Amino acid sequence: MSRFFDAYFRPARLIDTASPELRLLEGLTRCDGELAASAVEPARQWGGLAQVDTPFGVFTGKEGARALADGFAARFGAIALRVTPVAQTRAGGRAVSEVVLDGTSADGPVAIPVTIVADLHPAGSLEGARLYFFYRWAAGLQPYRAPIYSPRHASSAEFPLLTGAVRRYYELLNLDNPQAATNGILETLAPDFRYGGYRPDDSEPLIDDLDQVRNIYTAICSGIPSEQIIRFETITDDGITCAVEWTSVITRRGRAKGIASQAGFAAYERSSDGLLRAIRINDNLGPR
């Protein structure tokens, strides 16, 4: 098994393997267009076409799902891939699955951590989905994920939409005092806290040492919110894991430094005492 699976799979946490986002991934990894298309509703319930937004582009409807499945494994340099579910968060008409795409390539085994966020349709299919992974896992991608959502306001989102340690984390992340923000964020973390895992080790290894976590957040808080603001766009919270899709909104100072707005994902897993047991950020910002 991969280090991502070993770090974050919780046997006591249920995973609905029949959930449509996992069916879509099964179709993609098998390069089975019909299986992938069976997971996708042709149109949204309240208007518009179903879309799957990926780093490879946006794929619309069942035909789009078939096109995405065509040669999907080869996009990652893999001969074959299979889906290994690690964690799933379902709430409010949305399902978020964090998985590992295990397989083989000409150079040996591959294990690619991926997030898929799906908007569920009453028919048991999905009417929209977003796929996230670090750009270096696939050939030909740039370290940039175009914004998926278009924030109406260039400001942080409303913190009361979040609860507990996750709300406190975002309040601190938007505090314009890097040292106080870093110190406060570390106070929200459980003793067995783990960070990362979505990137190759040479970019950002999975970390459980709090001194290393401090270094990471010292760097993060030096640019947030002075250069960019993290606006959460969707929230899927089942009381244990809070899964967030976000957009980085660039400030005037950030624009002067050539920073571009991007889309990203993060999962915040709570421990039994309400502190954060894990933070898993899936984006292309920071070290590459």
Side-chain angles (χ1 to χ4, degrees):
M1 291 295 180
S2 71
R3 65 192 181 100
F4 190 84
F5 180 94
D6 291 340
Y8 297 124
F9 178 71
R10 320 289 188 201
R13 297 276 285 151
L14 297 178
I15 295 177
D16 179 2
T17 56
S19 196
E21 80 281 3
L22 291 178
R23 190 161 82 247
L24 173 63
L25 284 180
E26 286 288 350
L28 297 180
T29 54
R30 296 180 191 180
C31 299
D32 183 338
E34 292 309 312
L35 179 58
S38 73
V40 178
E41 199 66 23
R44 292 179 175 272
Q45 185 178 16
W46 303 112
L49 298 176
Q51 292 185 328
V52 179
D53 191 302
T54 81
F56 306 119
V58 179
F59 297 80
T60 301
K62 290 184 177 293
E63 284 304 314
R66 293 185 184 99
L68 180 58
D70 185 18
F72 184 80
R75 295 176 186 265
F76 297 92
I79 300 169
L81 289 173
R82 65 182 180 276
V83 181
T84 303
V86 177
Q88 188 180 66
T89 309
R90 294 172 63 91
R94 192 176 292 117
V96 180
S97 284
E98 298 175 78
V99 310
V100 176
L101 304 185
D102 290 304
T104 56
S105 71
D107 298 322
V110 295
I112 305 163
V114 167
T115 306
I116 184 166
V117 182
D119 304 320
L120 303 178
H121 189 279
S125 52
L126 60 84
E127 58 177 38
R130 281 77 61 196
L131 193 67
Y132 297 90
F133 57 84
F134 189 54
Y135 80 102
R136 280 176 47 193
W137 293 118
L141 296 180
Q142 298 297 316
Y144 174 72
R145 181 67 185 274
I148 298 170
Y149 300 93
S150 300
R152 295 182 179 181
H153 306 286
S155 62
S156 59
E158 294 75 14
F159 301 127
L161 296 173
L162 303 170
T163 63
V166 183
R167 174 176 174 172
R168 180 62 177 156
Y169 171 91
Y170 268 95
E171 288 173 339
L172 290 161
L173 192 64
N174 284 275
L175 185 65
D176 199 9
N177 182 329
Q179 183 174 355
T182 300
N183 291 339
I185 286 172
L186 263 67
E187 291 175 358
T188 70
L189 309 182
D192 61 347
F193 173 80
R194 286 180 172 175
Y195 176 92
Y198 272 109
R199 299 187 179 195
D201 281 342
D202 63 352
S203 173
E204 183 182 83
L206 196 152
I207 295 169
D208 58 11
D209 180 86
L210 290 183
D211 286 335
Q212 294 183 51
V213 174
R214 176 180 290 277
N215 292 338
I216 287 172
Y217 277 96
T218 296
I220 289 174
C221 294
S222 69
I224 300 173
S226 60
E227 297 172 355
Q228 53 189 316
I229 298 165
I230 303 300
R231 282 190 58 88
F232 40 89
E233 304 291 358
T234 72
I235 302 166
T236 309
D237 193 337
D238 65 3
I240 296 176
T241 300
C242 179
V244 175
E245 292 178 279
W246 49 259
T247 304
S248 62
V249 179
I250 310 306
T251 66
R252 181 177 298 176
R253 177 177 167 181
R255 290 195 297 272
K257 295 181 68 172
I259 299 173
S261 178
Q262 296 205 37
F265 167 87
Y268 306 92
E269 184 181 350
R270 302 175 179 93
S271 63
S272 58
D273 59 6
L275 296 175
L276 296 178
R277 185 182 186 184
I279 295 176
R280 302 185 289 272
I281 299 175
N282 196 351
D283 69 1
N284 292 319
L285 300 177
R288 295 167 181 172

